[in-house]
Amino acid sequence: MAGPTTAQRGDSKRVKSKLRLQTKLGLKPKSRPQQKQKSSGSGPPRRGGRRLPSRRTLILSAVAAVLVGGAAVWALYGSDWLRATQVKVGGTEVLTRGEVRDAARVPLGAPLVSVDTDAVAARLRAKLPRIDTVRVERSWPHGISLKVTERRPEALIKQGAKFVEVDAGGVRFATVDKPPRGVPFLAVEPGKANGPTASSLRRFGPDRLRKEAVRVAAELPAAVRKETRTIRVRSYDSITLELTGDREVVWGSGERGAEKARTLTALMKAAHGADHFDVSAPSSPAVSGS
């Protein structure tokens, strides 16, 4: 390795001589200035190769976020821009839109965001049993939308001079003065029950038998349904249909309803003059009368 050059040795001697002279004169030798570290640039320190935001930037960002959040809260709750002023109703058939609006009791004038849509739906179902399902939605900026689906009567129960409508689930949801057209009557006869029939009623109860009859009504082909006047229930497995023209269909239980419906449709097409059909065992049906 090469040693110091002649010039370097000379410089070193001069520095040493200067230091000795300063010592004799009582002067404090000046320390050599430290070399400043190179800076990577002005601004805040970096972390992981990324420049960190300054304190001022963080404060300004926080203030801006608070202002934006406050403005949003004021717009939703304090301003007149987003308030419930309209109620739109759709899907009604028997019910009127006014009936639905009155039962919903939407708080008009309240901030739209504060309207409790679940509470509105609960009020509608409680006040109007005819409603099967309801969807309550906010319609920005000023509306509440009520979309209802009404229950459909599958059978009727005569109650004095009025008629009770029963849906496919056996729910008695409305009492009307006039029976709707094309809906059969339902007759459950516990008073006439004796022997096996009485045992069936004790086991299942009138409500269960009523549901079975409504289940039969819901599975009837459209053409047969139009001609069905009464669905008579004597026990769980003794359901009969009374059709126009003094015709009768022995249905049996409510089980295998779709298969029985297909069999009955085929029988009625093949035997136009028959007045008694038995599809209680759909694999081996019977027809009589002429």
Side-chain angles (χ1 to χ4, degrees):
M1 183 180 222
T5 62
T6 303
Q8 291 173 336
R9 288 195 296 272
D11 291 340
S12 177
K13 290 179 179 181
R14 284 193 293 273
V15 170
K16 290 179 180 179
S17 299
K18 186 176 179 180
L19 291 174
R20 284 196 295 270
L21 179 61
Q22 289 176 343
T23 302
K24 289 179 180 180
L25 295 176
L27 300 175
K28 185 177 180 180
K30 294 182 178 180
S31 60
R32 298 178 66 182
Q34 295 182 354
Q35 185 177 2
K36 293 183 178 181
Q37 294 181 353
K38 291 184 179 181
S39 175
S40 60
S42 60
R46 295 173 179 267
R47 178 180 294 173
R50 298 172 59 187
R51 182 172 295 177
L52 299 177
S54 65
R55 183 177 180 183
R56 180 181 178 185
T57 301
L58 291 174
I59 293 174
L60 291 175
S61 299
V63 171
V66 171
L67 291 176
V68 171
V73 171
W74 176 82
L76 289 173
Y77 290 93
S79 75
D80 292 332
W81 301 342
L82 304 174
R83 291 187 175 270
T85 59
Q86 302 172 356
V87 179
K88 298 179 180 179
V89 179
T92 57
E93 296 181 10
V94 177
L95 296 171
T96 66
R97 295 179 181 178
E99 287 176 318
V100 175
R101 288 194 189 94
D102 292 344
R105 298 205 320 267
V106 175
L108 296 177
L112 192 61
V113 71
S114 70
V115 176
D116 189 339
T117 56
D118 291 338
V120 172
R123 284 196 293 272
L124 283 170
R125 285 191 290 265
K127 292 284 187 180
L128 301 174
R130 185 177 291 276
I131 292 178
D132 186 15
T133 62
V134 58
R135 190 164 70 247
V136 182
E137 297 176 339
R138 295 180 181 86
S139 181
W140 299 95
H142 303 298
I144 291 291
S145 174
L146 309 176
K147 298 179 181 179
V148 303
T149 302
E150 296 183 5
R151 299 180 189 273
R152 294 184 178 277
E154 296 292 344
L156 298 171
I157 299 175
K158 198 171 188 315
Q159 193 172 71
K162 296 184 180 296
F163 306 92
V164 179
E165 295 180 317
V166 185
D167 74 355
V171 177
R172 291 174 283 185
F173 62 88
T175 302
V176 296
D177 296 327
K178 295 182 179 180
R181 297 181 61 183
V183 181
F185 286 95
L186 176 60
V188 179
E189 302 177 333
K192 297 181 181 181
N194 53 62
T197 302
S199 175
S200 178
L201 285 171
R202 285 194 299 270
R203 179 181 177 186
F204 297 103
D207 288 341
R208 173 64 185 277
L209 297 180
R210 186 180 299 113
K211 288 182 179 180
E212 286 299 309
V214 173
R215 173 182 168 190
V216 171
E219 292 180 325
L220 289 177
V224 177
R225 181 184 174 85
K226 290 180 181 179
E227 299 181 15
T228 302
R229 293 293 175 259
T230 303
I231 301 176
R232 197 171 300 278
V233 185
R234 295 184 176 87
S235 69
Y236 178 81
D237 55 1
S238 178
I239 300 174
T240 59
L241 313 178
E242 296 177 2
L243 310 183
T244 58
D246 294 327
R247 293 172 297 168
E248 183 183 62
V249 177
V250 177
W251 193 269
S253 70
E255 299 173 4
R256 302 171 67 183
E259 187 178 355
K260 292 176 181 180
R262 290 192 297 269
T263 301
L264 178 59
T265 300
L267 287 178
M268 294 181 72
K269 288 181 179 179
H272 295 286
D275 57 17
H276 184 86
F277 306 87
D278 189 338
V279 294
S280 56
S283 58
S284 55
V287 178
S288 63
S290 57

PDB file of all heavy atoms in Angstrom, residues 234 239-252 264 267-268 271-280 285-290:
ATOM      1  N   ARG A 234    -114.526 -33.584   6.351  1.00  0.00           N
ATOM      2  CA  ARG A 234    -115.100 -34.376   7.441  1.00  0.00           C
ATOM      3  C   ARG A 234    -114.017 -34.970   8.336  1.00  0.00           C
ATOM      4  O   ARG A 234    -114.252 -35.240   9.502  1.00  0.00           O
ATOM      5  CB  ARG A 234    -115.984 -35.481   6.869  1.00  0.00           C
ATOM      6  CG  ARG A 234    -117.221 -34.938   6.141  1.00  0.00           C
ATOM      7  CD  ARG A 234    -118.133 -36.053   5.668  1.00  0.00           C
ATOM      8  NE  ARG A 234    -119.351 -35.521   5.062  1.00  0.00           N
ATOM      9  CZ  ARG A 234    -119.449 -35.184   3.781  1.00  0.00           C
ATOM     10  NH1 ARG A 234    -118.404 -35.332   2.972  1.00  0.00           N
ATOM     11  NH2 ARG A 234    -120.587 -34.699   3.305  1.00  0.00           N
ATOM     12  N   ILE A 239    -111.762 -35.392   2.344  1.00  0.00           N
ATOM     13  CA  ILE A 239    -112.039 -34.080   1.776  1.00  0.00           C
ATOM     14  C   ILE A 239    -112.718 -34.299   0.428  1.00  0.00           C
ATOM     15  O   ILE A 239    -112.229 -35.079  -0.400  1.00  0.00           O
ATOM     16  CB  ILE A 239    -110.740 -33.259   1.584  1.00  0.00           C
ATOM     17  CG1 ILE A 239    -110.045 -33.051   2.946  1.00  0.00           C
ATOM     18  CG2 ILE A 239    -111.034 -31.915   0.933  1.00  0.00           C
ATOM     19  CD1 ILE A 239    -108.691 -32.377   2.843  1.00  0.00           C
ATOM     20  N   THR A 240    -113.844 -33.626   0.225  1.00  0.00           N
ATOM     21  CA  THR A 240    -114.560 -33.751  -1.048  1.00  0.00           C
ATOM     22  C   THR A 240    -114.803 -32.373  -1.643  1.00  0.00           C
ATOM     23  O   THR A 240    -114.884 -31.366  -0.920  1.00  0.00           O
ATOM     24  CB  THR A 240    -115.912 -34.469  -0.865  1.00  0.00           C
ATOM     25  OG1 THR A 240    -116.702 -33.722   0.063  1.00  0.00           O
ATOM     26  CG2 THR A 240    -115.712 -35.880  -0.336  1.00  0.00           C
ATOM     27  N   LEU A 241    -114.919 -32.353  -2.970  1.00  0.00           N
ATOM     28  CA  LEU A 241    -115.207 -31.122  -3.698  1.00  0.00           C
ATOM     29  C   LEU A 241    -116.616 -31.224  -4.278  1.00  0.00           C
ATOM     30  O   LEU A 241    -116.956 -32.232  -4.911  1.00  0.00           O
ATOM     31  CB  LEU A 241    -114.211 -30.918  -4.840  1.00  0.00           C
ATOM     32  CG  LEU A 241    -112.718 -31.103  -4.545  1.00  0.00           C
ATOM     33  CD1 LEU A 241    -111.907 -30.891  -5.822  1.00  0.00           C
ATOM     34  CD2 LEU A 241    -112.268 -30.163  -3.445  1.00  0.00           C
ATOM     35  N   GLU A 242    -117.401 -30.191  -4.062  1.00  0.00           N
ATOM     36  CA  GLU A 242    -118.723 -30.127  -4.659  1.00  0.00           C
ATOM     37  C   GLU A 242    -118.672 -29.144  -5.817  1.00  0.00           C
ATOM     38  O   GLU A 242    -118.411 -27.941  -5.613  1.00  0.00           O
ATOM     39  CB  GLU A 242    -119.751 -29.701  -3.610  1.00  0.00           C
ATOM     40  CG  GLU A 242    -119.890 -30.720  -2.478  1.00  0.00           C
ATOM     41  CD  GLU A 242    -120.856 -30.269  -1.401  1.00  0.00           C
ATOM     42  OE1 GLU A 242    -121.447 -29.164  -1.559  1.00  0.00           O
ATOM     43  OE2 GLU A 242    -121.039 -31.000  -0.414  1.00  0.00           O
ATOM     44  N   LEU A 243    -118.903 -29.674  -7.042  1.00  0.00           N
ATOM     45  CA  LEU A 243    -118.791 -28.859  -8.246  1.00  0.00           C
ATOM     46  C   LEU A 243    -120.170 -28.430  -8.733  1.00  0.00           C
ATOM     47  O   LEU A 243    -121.204 -28.877  -8.228  1.00  0.00           O
ATOM     48  CB  LEU A 243    -118.064 -29.649  -9.344  1.00  0.00           C
ATOM     49  CG  LEU A 243    -116.735 -30.325  -8.981  1.00  0.00           C
ATOM     50  CD1 LEU A 243    -116.147 -30.990 -10.217  1.00  0.00           C
ATOM     51  CD2 LEU A 243    -115.753 -29.340  -8.374  1.00  0.00           C
ATOM     52  N   THR A 244    -120.164 -27.563  -9.716  1.00  0.00           N
ATOM     53  CA  THR A 244    -121.426 -27.178 -10.353  1.00  0.00           C
ATOM     54  C   THR A 244    -122.040 -28.399 -11.022  1.00  0.00           C
ATOM     55  O   THR A 244    -121.342 -29.362 -11.370  1.00  0.00           O
ATOM     56  CB  THR A 244    -121.160 -26.083 -11.401  1.00  0.00           C
ATOM     57  OG1 THR A 244    -120.215 -26.573 -12.364  1.00  0.00           O
ATOM     58  CG2 THR A 244    -120.620 -24.815 -10.765  1.00  0.00           C
ATOM     59  N   GLY A 245    -123.350 -28.368 -11.228  1.00  0.00           N
ATOM     60  CA  GLY A 245    -124.028 -29.480 -11.881  1.00  0.00           C
ATOM     61  C   GLY A 245    -124.167 -30.695 -11.002  1.00  0.00           C
ATOM     62  O   GLY A 245    -124.251 -31.830 -11.509  1.00  0.00           O
ATOM     63  N   ASP A 246    -124.142 -30.499  -9.668  1.00  0.00           N
ATOM     64  CA  ASP A 246    -124.289 -31.615  -8.714  1.00  0.00           C
ATOM     65  C   ASP A 246    -123.219 -32.689  -8.890  1.00  0.00           C
ATOM     66  O   ASP A 246    -123.472 -33.873  -8.661  1.00  0.00           O
ATOM     67  CB  ASP A 246    -125.683 -32.251  -8.831  1.00  0.00           C
ATOM     68  CG  ASP A 246    -126.784 -31.292  -8.400  1.00  0.00           C
ATOM     69  OD1 ASP A 246    -126.522 -30.481  -7.487  1.00  0.00           O
ATOM     70  OD2 ASP A 246    -127.874 -31.338  -8.991  1.00  0.00           O
ATOM     71  N   ARG A 247    -122.047 -32.289  -9.285  1.00  0.00           N
ATOM     72  CA  ARG A 247    -120.936 -33.247  -9.408  1.00  0.00           C
ATOM     73  C   ARG A 247    -120.103 -33.230  -8.128  1.00  0.00           C
ATOM     74  O   ARG A 247    -120.041 -32.224  -7.424  1.00  0.00           O
ATOM     75  CB  ARG A 247    -120.065 -32.902 -10.610  1.00  0.00           C
ATOM     76  CG  ARG A 247    -120.775 -33.078 -11.956  1.00  0.00           C
ATOM     77  CD  ARG A 247    -119.909 -32.519 -13.088  1.00  0.00           C
ATOM     78  NE  ARG A 247    -119.701 -31.081 -12.923  1.00  0.00           N
ATOM     79  CZ  ARG A 247    -118.805 -30.383 -13.617  1.00  0.00           C
ATOM     80  NH1 ARG A 247    -118.025 -31.007 -14.501  1.00  0.00           N
ATOM     81  NH2 ARG A 247    -118.685 -29.095 -13.436  1.00  0.00           N
ATOM     82  N   GLU A 248    -119.430 -34.334  -7.880  1.00  0.00           N
ATOM     83  CA  GLU A 248    -118.652 -34.475  -6.656  1.00  0.00           C
ATOM     84  C   GLU A 248    -117.310 -35.131  -6.962  1.00  0.00           C
ATOM     85  O   GLU A 248    -117.211 -36.013  -7.803  1.00  0.00           O
ATOM     86  CB  GLU A 248    -119.419 -35.324  -5.636  1.00  0.00           C
ATOM     87  CG  GLU A 248    -118.699 -35.469  -4.301  1.00  0.00           C
ATOM     88  CD  GLU A 248    -119.453 -36.373  -3.345  1.00  0.00           C
ATOM     89  OE1 GLU A 248    -119.625 -37.573  -3.683  1.00  0.00           O
ATOM     90  OE2 GLU A 248    -119.865 -35.896  -2.273  1.00  0.00           O
ATOM     91  N   VAL A 249    -116.299 -34.677  -6.248  1.00  0.00           N
ATOM     92  CA  VAL A 249    -114.955 -35.254  -6.377  1.00  0.00           C
ATOM     93  C   VAL A 249    -114.500 -35.707  -5.000  1.00  0.00           C
ATOM     94  O   VAL A 249    -114.455 -34.904  -4.049  1.00  0.00           O
ATOM     95  CB  VAL A 249    -113.946 -34.231  -6.943  1.00  0.00           C
ATOM     96  CG1 VAL A 249    -112.545 -34.843  -7.004  1.00  0.00           C
ATOM     97  CG2 VAL A 249    -114.378 -33.724  -8.292  1.00  0.00           C
ATOM     98  N   VAL A 250    -114.178 -36.983  -4.877  1.00  0.00           N
ATOM     99  CA  VAL A 250    -113.602 -37.498  -3.632  1.00  0.00           C
ATOM    100  C   VAL A 250    -112.093 -37.288  -3.717  1.00  0.00           C
ATOM    101  O   VAL A 250    -111.408 -37.914  -4.524  1.00  0.00           O
ATOM    102  CB  VAL A 250    -113.931 -38.995  -3.444  1.00  0.00           C
ATOM    103  CG1 VAL A 250    -113.262 -39.518  -2.173  1.00  0.00           C
ATOM    104  CG2 VAL A 250    -115.440 -39.202  -3.387  1.00  0.00           C
ATOM    105  N   TRP A 251    -111.580 -36.390  -2.877  1.00  0.00           N
ATOM    106  CA  TRP A 251    -110.157 -36.019  -2.947  1.00  0.00           C
ATOM    107  C   TRP A 251    -109.316 -36.813  -1.959  1.00  0.00           C
ATOM    108  O   TRP A 251    -108.149 -37.066  -2.186  1.00  0.00           O
ATOM    109  CB  TRP A 251    -110.024 -34.520  -2.670  1.00  0.00           C
ATOM    110  CG  TRP A 251    -108.685 -33.948  -2.997  1.00  0.00           C
ATOM    111  CD1 TRP A 251    -107.608 -33.838  -2.162  1.00  0.00           C
ATOM    112  CD2 TRP A 251    -108.268 -33.398  -4.241  1.00  0.00           C
ATOM    113  NE1 TRP A 251    -106.551 -33.252  -2.808  1.00  0.00           N
ATOM    114  CE2 TRP A 251    -106.940 -32.966  -4.102  1.00  0.00           C
ATOM    115  CE3 TRP A 251    -108.906 -33.223  -5.476  1.00  0.00           C
ATOM    116  CZ2 TRP A 251    -106.233 -32.378  -5.140  1.00  0.00           C
ATOM    117  CZ3 TRP A 251    -108.205 -32.634  -6.501  1.00  0.00           C
ATOM    118  CH2 TRP A 251    -106.881 -32.216  -6.332  1.00  0.00           C
ATOM    119  N   GLY A 252    -109.909 -37.186  -0.843  1.00  0.00           N
ATOM    120  CA  GLY A 252    -109.138 -37.883   0.186  1.00  0.00           C
ATOM    121  C   GLY A 252    -108.414 -36.890   1.071  1.00  0.00           C
ATOM    122  O   GLY A 252    -108.966 -35.874   1.477  1.00  0.00           O
ATOM    123  N   LEU A 264    -107.433 -35.744 -12.009  1.00  0.00           N
ATOM    124  CA  LEU A 264    -108.796 -35.233 -12.119  1.00  0.00           C
ATOM    125  C   LEU A 264    -109.010 -34.518 -13.451  1.00  0.00           C
ATOM    126  O   LEU A 264    -110.061 -34.687 -14.095  1.00  0.00           O
ATOM    127  CB  LEU A 264    -109.082 -34.280 -10.959  1.00  0.00           C
ATOM    128  CG  LEU A 264    -110.464 -33.631 -10.957  1.00  0.00           C
ATOM    129  CD1 LEU A 264    -111.559 -34.693 -10.906  1.00  0.00           C
ATOM    130  CD2 LEU A 264    -110.595 -32.659  -9.787  1.00  0.00           C
ATOM    131  N   LEU A 267    -109.500 -37.159 -16.060  1.00  0.00           N
ATOM    132  CA  LEU A 267    -110.796 -37.835 -15.926  1.00  0.00           C
ATOM    133  C   LEU A 267    -111.931 -36.965 -16.455  1.00  0.00           C
ATOM    134  O   LEU A 267    -112.828 -37.443 -17.149  1.00  0.00           O
ATOM    135  CB  LEU A 267    -111.061 -38.189 -14.457  1.00  0.00           C
ATOM    136  CG  LEU A 267    -110.249 -39.342 -13.846  1.00  0.00           C
ATOM    137  CD1 LEU A 267    -110.620 -39.502 -12.377  1.00  0.00           C
ATOM    138  CD2 LEU A 267    -110.496 -40.643 -14.604  1.00  0.00           C
ATOM    139  N   MET A 268    -111.908 -35.690 -16.135  1.00  0.00           N
ATOM    140  CA  MET A 268    -112.996 -34.806 -16.545  1.00  0.00           C
ATOM    141  C   MET A 268    -113.016 -34.600 -18.057  1.00  0.00           C
ATOM    142  O   MET A 268    -114.072 -34.396 -18.658  1.00  0.00           O
ATOM    143  CB  MET A 268    -112.884 -33.461 -15.807  1.00  0.00           C
ATOM    144  CG  MET A 268    -113.098 -33.593 -14.304  1.00  0.00           C
ATOM    145  SD  MET A 268    -112.988 -32.021 -13.404  1.00  0.00           S
ATOM    146  CE  MET A 268    -114.521 -31.247 -13.925  1.00  0.00           C
ATOM    147  N   ALA A 271    -114.385 -38.228 -19.384  1.00  0.00           N
ATOM    148  CA  ALA A 271    -115.765 -38.608 -19.039  1.00  0.00           C
ATOM    149  C   ALA A 271    -116.579 -37.335 -18.802  1.00  0.00           C
ATOM    150  O   ALA A 271    -116.769 -36.901 -17.663  1.00  0.00           O
ATOM    151  CB  ALA A 271    -115.766 -39.499 -17.803  1.00  0.00           C
ATOM    152  N   HIS A 272    -117.059 -36.767 -19.908  1.00  0.00           N
ATOM    153  CA  HIS A 272    -117.763 -35.483 -19.814  1.00  0.00           C
ATOM    154  C   HIS A 272    -119.070 -35.600 -19.028  1.00  0.00           C
ATOM    155  O   HIS A 272    -119.451 -34.679 -18.304  1.00  0.00           O
ATOM    156  CB  HIS A 272    -118.064 -34.943 -21.216  1.00  0.00           C
ATOM    157  CG  HIS A 272    -116.830 -34.593 -21.991  1.00  0.00           C
ATOM    158  ND1 HIS A 272    -116.092 -33.472 -21.711  1.00  0.00           N
ATOM    159  CD2 HIS A 272    -116.210 -35.218 -23.025  1.00  0.00           C
ATOM    160  CE1 HIS A 272    -115.063 -33.400 -22.544  1.00  0.00           C
ATOM    161  NE2 HIS A 272    -115.108 -34.458 -23.361  1.00  0.00           N
ATOM    162  N   GLY A 273    -119.758 -36.705 -19.140  1.00  0.00           N
ATOM    163  CA  GLY A 273    -121.058 -36.817 -18.489  1.00  0.00           C
ATOM    164  C   GLY A 273    -121.020 -37.366 -17.092  1.00  0.00           C
ATOM    165  O   GLY A 273    -122.072 -37.508 -16.448  1.00  0.00           O
ATOM    166  N   ALA A 274    -119.856 -37.683 -16.560  1.00  0.00           N
ATOM    167  CA  ALA A 274    -119.760 -38.270 -15.222  1.00  0.00           C
ATOM    168  C   ALA A 274    -120.082 -37.232 -14.153  1.00  0.00           C
ATOM    169  O   ALA A 274    -119.852 -36.028 -14.336  1.00  0.00           O
ATOM    170  CB  ALA A 274    -118.369 -38.845 -15.008  1.00  0.00           C
ATOM    171  N   ASP A 275    -120.609 -37.692 -13.032  1.00  0.00           N
ATOM    172  CA  ASP A 275    -120.920 -36.768 -11.937  1.00  0.00           C
ATOM    173  C   ASP A 275    -120.240 -37.165 -10.627  1.00  0.00           C
ATOM    174  O   ASP A 275    -120.437 -36.516  -9.594  1.00  0.00           O
ATOM    175  CB  ASP A 275    -122.427 -36.670 -11.729  1.00  0.00           C
ATOM    176  CG  ASP A 275    -123.070 -38.023 -11.450  1.00  0.00           C
ATOM    177  OD1 ASP A 275    -122.328 -38.967 -11.102  1.00  0.00           O
ATOM    178  OD2 ASP A 275    -124.292 -38.123 -11.595  1.00  0.00           O
ATOM    179  N   HIS A 276    -119.421 -38.226 -10.649  1.00  0.00           N
ATOM    180  CA  HIS A 276    -118.705 -38.647  -9.450  1.00  0.00           C
ATOM    181  C   HIS A 276    -117.282 -39.064  -9.848  1.00  0.00           C
ATOM    182  O   HIS A 276    -117.094 -39.955 -10.676  1.00  0.00           O
ATOM    183  CB  HIS A 276    -119.423 -39.818  -8.763  1.00  0.00           C
ATOM    184  CG  HIS A 276    -118.769 -40.223  -7.476  1.00  0.00           C
ATOM    185  ND1 HIS A 276    -119.055 -39.633  -6.267  1.00  0.00           N
ATOM    186  CD2 HIS A 276    -117.835 -41.183  -7.220  1.00  0.00           C
ATOM    187  CE1 HIS A 276    -118.334 -40.200  -5.322  1.00  0.00           C
ATOM    188  NE2 HIS A 276    -117.579 -41.150  -5.880  1.00  0.00           N
ATOM    189  N   PHE A 277    -116.315 -38.409  -9.239  1.00  0.00           N
ATOM    190  CA  PHE A 277    -114.902 -38.699  -9.533  1.00  0.00           C
ATOM    191  C   PHE A 277    -114.198 -39.006  -8.213  1.00  0.00           C
ATOM    192  O   PHE A 277    -114.411 -38.309  -7.212  1.00  0.00           O
ATOM    193  CB  PHE A 277    -114.218 -37.499 -10.202  1.00  0.00           C
ATOM    194  CG  PHE A 277    -114.912 -36.995 -11.429  1.00  0.00           C
ATOM    195  CD1 PHE A 277    -115.929 -36.053 -11.331  1.00  0.00           C
ATOM    196  CD2 PHE A 277    -114.567 -37.466 -12.681  1.00  0.00           C
ATOM    197  CE1 PHE A 277    -116.564 -35.575 -12.459  1.00  0.00           C
ATOM    198  CE2 PHE A 277    -115.200 -36.999 -13.824  1.00  0.00           C
ATOM    199  CZ  PHE A 277    -116.209 -36.051 -13.715  1.00  0.00           C
ATOM    200  N   ASP A 278    -113.360 -40.013  -8.235  1.00  0.00           N
ATOM    201  CA  ASP A 278    -112.625 -40.393  -7.024  1.00  0.00           C
ATOM    202  C   ASP A 278    -111.128 -40.422  -7.363  1.00  0.00           C
ATOM    203  O   ASP A 278    -110.668 -41.284  -8.121  1.00  0.00           O
ATOM    204  CB  ASP A 278    -113.082 -41.768  -6.527  1.00  0.00           C
ATOM    205  CG  ASP A 278    -112.500 -42.117  -5.157  1.00  0.00           C
ATOM    206  OD1 ASP A 278    -111.461 -41.528  -4.799  1.00  0.00           O
ATOM    207  OD2 ASP A 278    -113.083 -42.963  -4.471  1.00  0.00           O
ATOM    208  N   VAL A 279    -110.394 -39.455  -6.827  1.00  0.00           N
ATOM    209  CA  VAL A 279    -108.947 -39.403  -7.059  1.00  0.00           C
ATOM    210  C   VAL A 279    -108.185 -39.536  -5.747  1.00  0.00           C
ATOM    211  O   VAL A 279    -107.015 -39.157  -5.645  1.00  0.00           O
ATOM    212  CB  VAL A 279    -108.556 -38.091  -7.767  1.00  0.00           C
ATOM    213  CG1 VAL A 279    -109.121 -38.018  -9.166  1.00  0.00           C
ATOM    214  CG2 VAL A 279    -108.983 -36.865  -6.937  1.00  0.00           C
ATOM    215  N   SER A 280    -108.846 -40.101  -4.722  1.00  0.00           N
ATOM    216  CA  SER A 280    -108.173 -40.267  -3.426  1.00  0.00           C
ATOM    217  C   SER A 280    -106.955 -41.149  -3.547  1.00  0.00           C
ATOM    218  O   SER A 280    -105.983 -41.005  -2.791  1.00  0.00           O
ATOM    219  CB  SER A 280    -109.144 -40.823  -2.390  1.00  0.00           C
ATOM    220  OG  SER A 280    -109.716 -42.050  -2.841  1.00  0.00           O
ATOM    221  N   PRO A 285    -107.792 -44.201 -10.115  1.00  0.00           N
ATOM    222  CA  PRO A 285    -108.973 -43.371  -9.941  1.00  0.00           C
ATOM    223  C   PRO A 285    -110.243 -44.092 -10.373  1.00  0.00           C
ATOM    224  O   PRO A 285    -110.184 -45.142 -11.011  1.00  0.00           O
ATOM    225  CB  PRO A 285    -108.675 -42.167 -10.859  1.00  0.00           C
ATOM    226  CG  PRO A 285    -107.805 -42.731 -11.924  1.00  0.00           C
ATOM    227  CD  PRO A 285    -106.958 -43.782 -11.262  1.00  0.00           C
ATOM    228  N   ALA A 286    -111.366 -43.494 -10.048  1.00  0.00           N
ATOM    229  CA  ALA A 286    -112.657 -44.087 -10.411  1.00  0.00           C
ATOM    230  C   ALA A 286    -113.597 -42.999 -10.868  1.00  0.00           C
ATOM    231  O   ALA A 286    -113.531 -41.853 -10.416  1.00  0.00           O
ATOM    232  CB  ALA A 286    -113.245 -44.839  -9.213  1.00  0.00           C
ATOM    233  N   VAL A 287    -114.520 -43.384 -11.797  1.00  0.00           N
ATOM    234  CA  VAL A 287    -115.518 -42.458 -12.332  1.00  0.00           C
ATOM    235  C   VAL A 287    -116.858 -43.186 -12.366  1.00  0.00           C
ATOM    236  O   VAL A 287    -116.932 -44.382 -12.670  1.00  0.00           O
ATOM    237  CB  VAL A 287    -115.151 -42.006 -13.768  1.00  0.00           C
ATOM    238  CG1 VAL A 287    -116.232 -41.083 -14.321  1.00  0.00           C
ATOM    239  CG2 VAL A 287    -113.808 -41.300 -13.775  1.00  0.00           C
ATOM    240  N   SER A 288    -117.932 -42.459 -12.046  1.00  0.00           N
ATOM    241  CA  SER A 288    -119.260 -43.070 -12.124  1.00  0.00           C
ATOM    242  C   SER A 288    -120.270 -41.995 -12.528  1.00  0.00           C
ATOM    243  O   SER A 288    -119.994 -40.801 -12.490  1.00  0.00           O
ATOM    244  CB  SER A 288    -119.651 -43.706 -10.780  1.00  0.00           C
ATOM    245  OG  SER A 288    -119.739 -42.717  -9.774  1.00  0.00           O
ATOM    246  N   GLY A 289    -121.468 -42.438 -12.927  1.00  0.00           N
ATOM    247  CA  GLY A 289    -122.497 -41.514 -13.358  1.00  0.00           C
ATOM    248  C   GLY A 289    -122.429 -41.325 -14.863  1.00  0.00           C
ATOM    249  O   GLY A 289    -121.434 -41.631 -15.521  1.00  0.00           O
ATOM    250  N   SER A 290    -123.490 -40.823 -15.418  1.00  0.00           N
ATOM    251  CA  SER A 290    -123.505 -40.620 -16.879  1.00  0.00           C
ATOM    252  C   SER A 290    -124.350 -39.402 -17.195  1.00  0.00           C
ATOM    253  O   SER A 290    -125.082 -38.892 -16.328  1.00  0.00           O
ATOM    254  CB  SER A 290    -124.083 -41.849 -17.575  1.00  0.00           C
ATOM    255  OG  SER A 290    -125.377 -42.146 -17.114  1.00  0.00           O
TER     256      SER A 290
END
